[in-house]
Amino acid sequence: MHDMNEDVEKKLITEEELDRAVTDIAARIDADYDDSGRKLLLLGILKGSVVFMGDLMKKIRRPVEIDFMKVSSYTGTLTRGRVDILLDLRRGDLHNLDIIVVEDIVDSGNTLSYLVNYLKLKGANSVRCATMLDKPSRRKVPFTPDYVGIEIPDYFVVGYGLDYDEKYRTLPYVGVLKPEIYSTR
Ligand code: IMP
Ligand code: MG
């Protein structure tokens, strides 16, 4: 059996650190959204957000609904400037909805600045963003997420939902791969 851990050069964030960061974000969300009468929707962006989404939803005490969208992003380690919606949010009651877009990582900022704008134009009452990881040094468009788990330097990371070439999403921690893994594909 191939052990994915052997492809990791260094662990950047441990499971315990991730867990603490999620607990913190959940508490902030509970404090920020009081009983407005509106629905709160956690909107996960497939596929990278699924691990964070699963952990986060269990720690939020107030009632929330969940949904998912899928957008195009990376091919390999190169970012593209445009955003395609591959799976849209199909519901009619957006004016009665406070949305928190749940992402794995904010990098260039392209995906989230586009999506937040898109959801506001569709009529959502409010749109915020929660991301597990943030790489602010990589921004190409101005974007500031409302809830950030952990800020990281400019590394290409995997694990906790994040992939390289669709692999390593299931690692329970966040790590950097050995250079030969990135270059031999
Ligand atoms: P952005 O639109 O450039 O902010 O890119 C966001 C998307 O790029 C994320 O949802 C990830 O899928 C992907 N991405 C950015 N940085 C990394 C990384 O270090 N590892 C894995 N995926 C990444
Ligand atoms: Mg992604």
Side-chain angles (χ1 to χ4, degrees), residues 46-48 73 103-104:
L46 296 172
K47 301 176 238 174
S73 58
E103 252 290 33
D104 50 358

Side-chain angles (χ1 to χ4, degrees), residues 24-150:
D24 210 64
I25 292 179
R28 286 180 57 199
I29 289 173
D30 275 327
D32 286 355
Y33 292 84
D34 54 6
D35 289 314
S36 61
R38 285 185 299 272
K39 289 176 180 167
L40 181 59
L41 178 69
L42 295 184
L43 180 57
I45 307 306
L46 296 172
K47 301 176 238 174
S49 73
V50 292
V51 180
F52 175 41
M53 180 80 163
D55 284 348
L56 182 65
M57 70 170 85
K58 288 182 288 183
K59 292 187 186 236
I60 296 175
R61 291 213 179 83
R62 76 185 311 293
V64 294
E65 296 187 8
I66 66 161
D67 220 321
F68 293 92
M69 282 180 73
K70 188 167 195 213
V71 300
S72 68
S73 58
Y74 267 37
T75 349
T77 51
L78 290 175
T79 182
R80 289 192 298 150
R82 53 185 290 244
V83 177
D84 294 323
I85 294 180
L86 307 178
L87 175 68
D88 205 347
L89 179 65
R90 301 203 179 273
R91 43 191 301 168
D93 57 343
L94 263 69
H95 61 279
N96 192 33
L97 215 55
D98 292 311
I99 298 179
I100 300 178
V101 181
V102 178
E103 252 290 33
D104 50 358
I105 189 165
V106 183
D107 186 51
S108 71
N110 277 324
T111 308
L112 278 172
S113 61
Y114 178 87
L115 268 182
V116 167
N117 192 43
Y118 176 81
L119 293 164
K120 282 182 179 161
L121 286 174
K122 279 185 90 151
N125 181 70
S126 73
V127 185
R128 285 186 182 159
C129 166
T131 186
M132 186 62 229
L133 303 177
D134 189 12
K135 286 197 270 195
S137 65
R138 295 259 308 169
R139 284 300 189 282
K140 295 204 182 91
V141 294
F143 183 80
T144 309
D146 303 276
Y147 306 98
V148 175
I150 296 167

